[in-house]
């Protein structure tokens, strides 16, 4: 079998090496290709020109792509694991006596989180009386906990100023990418594709669209949210598997052995 790995933003040479060992030694693949996630998104969605936004496990990468070629991109140090950790801290604050809550945090987030269109209300104490916010989660020991502002609060990380980027937000960084290519800015703004686990929550695409309008990213902005957005990168990698243009970018098992074990050849 062959293997194609959709490369998430921030992948280091050490992580590449670990992936090569895993794929060649454990899964016995004959060929391995590392590809930028943005190109996998293009191939999965059929959108060759646009802004590809991949919200990953520990990092978010925003890429400006034209005709399946990455023009430039920016990485933001916030991802799904950060929102899960933030939710865990919010739950611990509200339910200090429930010591086993952390084990269920990811499931709670995936079932009940949403991106608020009115964060000033939904993420503060003011919103705790709103019936539409309230959800009940039952722990394995039959204890029921009530969720309200935590549901939206854990997603706010993706719309707040991001660490290491000053006062910039994901929306304002997207605006910068759009404006850095005046000749393609219209296409880029009207073809924004989002994918990754965090985007699977309710209203994520609408909230992002709202933030892009607030920062005046462009006169017309469109955000596409594929149905299979949690697995879009892997779908795109499957498509690329049949494209001969990418074959030369990979490494065969024999090349892997030659690279790391030359004395044995």
């Amino acid at each position: 079998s062959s293997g194609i790995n959709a490369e998430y933003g921030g992948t280091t040479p050490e992580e590449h090496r670990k992936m090569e060992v895993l794929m060649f030694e454990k899964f016995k693949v004959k060929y391995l290709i590392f590809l930028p996630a943005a190109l996998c998104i293009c191939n999965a969605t059929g959108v060759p020109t646009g802004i590809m936004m991949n919200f990953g496990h520990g990092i978010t990468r925003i890429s400006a792509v034209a005709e399946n070629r990455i023009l430039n991109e920016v990485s933001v140090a916030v991802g799904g694991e950060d929102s899960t950790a933030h939710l865990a801290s919010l739950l611990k604050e509200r339910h200090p006596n429930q010591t086993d809550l952390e084990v269920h945090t990811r499931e709670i987030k995936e079932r009940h989180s949403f991106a608020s269109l009115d964060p000033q209300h939904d993420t503060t104490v003011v919103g705790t009386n709103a019936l539409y916010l309230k959800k009940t989660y039952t722990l394995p020991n039959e204890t029921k906990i009530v969720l309200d502002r935590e549901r939206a609060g854990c997603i706010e990380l993706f719309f707040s100023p991001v660490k290491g980027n000053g006062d910039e937000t994901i929306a304002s960084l997207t605006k910068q990418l759009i404006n850095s290519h005046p000749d393609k800015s219209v296409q880029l703004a009207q073809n924004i594709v989002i994918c990754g686990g965090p985007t699977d929550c309710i209203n994520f695409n609408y909230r992002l669209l709202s933030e892009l309008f607030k920062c005046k990213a462009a006169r017309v902005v469109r955000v596409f949210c594929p149905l299979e957005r949690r697995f879009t990168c892997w779908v795109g990698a499957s498509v690329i598997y049949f494209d001969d243009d990418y074959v030369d970018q990979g490494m065969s098992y024999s090349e892997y052995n030659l690279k790391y074990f030359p004395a044995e050849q």
Side-chain angles (χ1 to χ4, degrees), residues 31-175:
Y31 206 83
L32 180 65
I33 307 174
F34 288 100
L35 289 172
L39 297 186
C40 293
I41 298 171
C42 289
N43 280 273
T45 58
V47 179
T49 299
I51 299 291
M52 307 298 150
M53 305 181 72
N54 181 38
F55 293 81
H57 180 64
I59 197 166
T60 294
R61 174 160 284 186
I62 313 164
S63 309
V65 181
E67 299 302 326
N68 291 311
R69 182 174 62 88
I70 297 176
L71 302 175
N72 60 334
E73 54 191 5
V74 61
S75 295
V76 179
V78 61
E81 65 176 1
D82 299 293
S83 61
T84 302
H86 186 47
L87 176 58
S89 66
L90 293 174
L91 291 173
K92 186 175 182 180
E93 181 183 328
R94 289 284 302 278
H95 308 280
N97 297 325
Q98 297 297 331
T99 55
D100 59 341
L101 258 181
E102 190 171 345
V103 179
H104 307 284
T105 303
R106 185 180 299 278
E107 183 181 358
I108 292 172
K109 185 187 78 170
E110 292 178 352
R111 284 191 184 184
H112 298 301
S113 66
F114 76 101
S116 173
L117 299 179
D118 185 8
Q120 289 187 333
H121 177 275
D122 294 344
T123 62
T124 61
V125 178
V126 179
T128 55
N129 293 323
L131 292 178
Y132 69 87
L133 275 181
K134 295 190 180 298
K135 292 285 183 181
T136 301
Y137 181 83
T138 304
L139 296 170
N141 62 6
E142 301 302 323
T143 300
K144 297 182 184 296
I145 62 170
V146 176
L147 309 167
D148 40 57
R149 64 181 186 270
E150 302 90 357
R151 297 177 59 213
C154 65
I155 302 298
E156 281 305 301
L157 292 179
F158 296 104
F159 306 107
S160 306
V162 291
K163 54 188 177 183
N165 292 84
D167 293 328
E168 300 292 351
T169 63
I170 286 177
S172 65
L173 291 171
T174 302
K175 175 184 177 180

